[in-house]
Structures are given as structure tokens and as C-alpha cells.
Amino acid sequence: MGRPRSFRESDVLDAAAGEFRVHGFADTSTEQLCEAAGVRRSSLYNAFSSKEELFVRALEHYANVTGGKQESVLTDERLSGAARLAGLLDLIVDEEREAAARGHAAGCMAVNTRMNPDLGVRDARVERILDRALDRQIALLGQAIRAGRLDGSLKPDLPVREAALSVVTLISGLRVMAQAGTRPEELDRIARLTLGALAA
């Protein structure tokens, strides 16, 4: 009879996502994953069978956690539509500010994975997770944009899908610029400037 696990799976997935989102799949070693999660190599492989399996599970976990945080802001009916979009971008910039204080960018597991299409070729689950997460994000943004058109905080003739995609593109761009060394203060100004184009 094997010994029970001495770790929570969600904690390992959090730790793994934290490494993968900054370094990507190829540049994240098993040693890094074990150190970040505080588990031994044998325990990691007993639980997840391979680095590839851990990556897929961590990607799904990351998509669910980040999607949940975004949903809580984008569906907050106490806020105007414009304030919901601003709140979402605050989440992104705040993450980058906290990461910069630790000497690196926050990274984004979804962006990193999209930029490495071989990962999706190797495991079809990767594409499905990314596509589901993107569809969810666009739908939530669309809900906030429609609310903003109705409450007058966003332009009344704003095309919903294109506006939602522009915010997704902005978020991806902020992540890449953070990786390039752009300061959080500048990222915040970029976000505000872009949102200004959507405001009424």
C-alpha cells in the first residue's frame, strides 16, 4: 500500500503554472517545477506521469483560475461597462507590478503557449483549452461592452466582437511588452490610452 500524497494537487498546479507562464514549456526544467512545488521528482511523476501531462493540467488550471478572476470583474453589475474593462486591465498591470518587484515579468501561460504551436500539435488538449479560454474571455468582454454601450460609459455604436478582440489583443501586447522590460507605470498608461478609444 503506497503512502498518501503529502501535497495538494491544486498547489502543485499553481506552482507549475507560475513557472510555465514565465519561462514557457521548453525552458522550464523538472528541477524548477519540483523546487517551486516543494515536491520530489518521484512524487511529481507519480502524480502527473510526465512534464507534458503536468503542463496540460497546469494550463487548464491556469485558464480556470485566470478566467474566474476576469469573470468576477467583467460581470460586476455594480460597475459601468467601462469600469469593468478598466478593472480587468488593473488585474493585468497589478500582476506585472508584483512580478517586476521580484525581478521578472508575470508572463502569461496562454500567450506563451499560443506562440509555441508545436505544443498544440503534440497534444490536442492544449488547443482545446486555449480555444475554450479565449471564447470565454471574448464572451465576458462582450457582456461588459454591451453593458457599457447601454450605460453610456462606452461608445453606443461600438462593434462588440471587434472591441472585445481589441481588449484581448491589448492584454496580450501588455504581457509581451512586460517581458521586453516595459515598466508597469508605462503599461498602465498604455492600457488607459487604448481604453480611451472605446470610451463614450
Side-chain angles (χ1 to χ4, degrees):
M1 183 177 184
R3 289 186 302 175
R5 290 182 188 174
S6 59
F7 58 85
R8 288 196 313 169
E9 188 173 286
S10 61
D11 291 341
V12 174
L13 293 175
D14 276 333
E19 294 299 307
F20 286 130
R21 71 182 290 180
V22 174
H23 305 291
F25 176 80
D27 291 330
T28 301
S29 68
T30 303
E31 289 70 26
Q32 282 174 266
L33 294 167
C34 291
E35 184 176 348
V39 298
R40 288 180 295 194
R41 188 186 186 97
S42 59
S43 298
L44 197 69
Y45 282 129
N46 283 338
F48 298 101
S49 77
S50 67
K51 177 183 167 184
E52 289 78 7
E53 182 64 22
L54 176 56
F55 177 83
V56 173
R57 297 278 301 283
L59 178 62
E60 185 166 35
H61 180 74
Y62 175 82
N64 288 335
V65 170
T66 57
K69 289 178 181 177
Q70 293 183 12
E71 183 170 2
S72 68
V73 175
L74 292 172
T75 60
D76 188 344
E77 295 183 355
R78 297 168 298 177
L79 302 175
S80 69
R84 296 183 205 183
L85 298 184
L88 172 62
L89 293 173
D90 284 343
L91 282 178
I92 305 301
V93 174
D94 285 348
E95 277 191 346
E96 295 298 345
R97 187 175 288 112
E98 290 171 14
R102 298 192 299 270
H104 59 80
C108 177
M109 203 170 173
V111 172
N112 283 346
T113 306
R114 285 284 189 197
M115 298 303 291
N116 290 277
D118 286 350
L119 294 171
V121 172
R122 270 193 270 174
D123 192 322
R125 291 176 296 172
V126 169
E127 285 296 323
R128 288 198 295 270
I129 292 166
L130 291 175
D131 289 345
R132 268 200 314 268
L134 180 59
D135 288 345
R136 178 186 186 186
Q137 188 179 42
I138 291 171
L140 289 168
L141 284 164
Q143 185 176 336
I145 289 162
R146 288 186 190 91
R149 295 199 325 176
L150 288 172
D151 65 34
S153 61
L154 298 174
K155 292 176 180 175
D157 58 347
L158 206 57
V160 174
R161 179 170 172 81
E162 288 80 1
L165 288 172
S166 73
V167 176
V168 172
T169 303
L170 170 60
I171 291 170
S172 298
L174 292 173
R175 295 299 197 189
V176 172
M177 292 307 293
Q179 291 279 21
T182 304
R183 299 191 316 274
E185 298 75 25
E186 289 182 285
L187 296 176
D188 189 55
R189 290 196 292 272
I190 292 166
R192 303 295 163 192
L193 180 65
T194 306
L195 273 191
L198 306 181

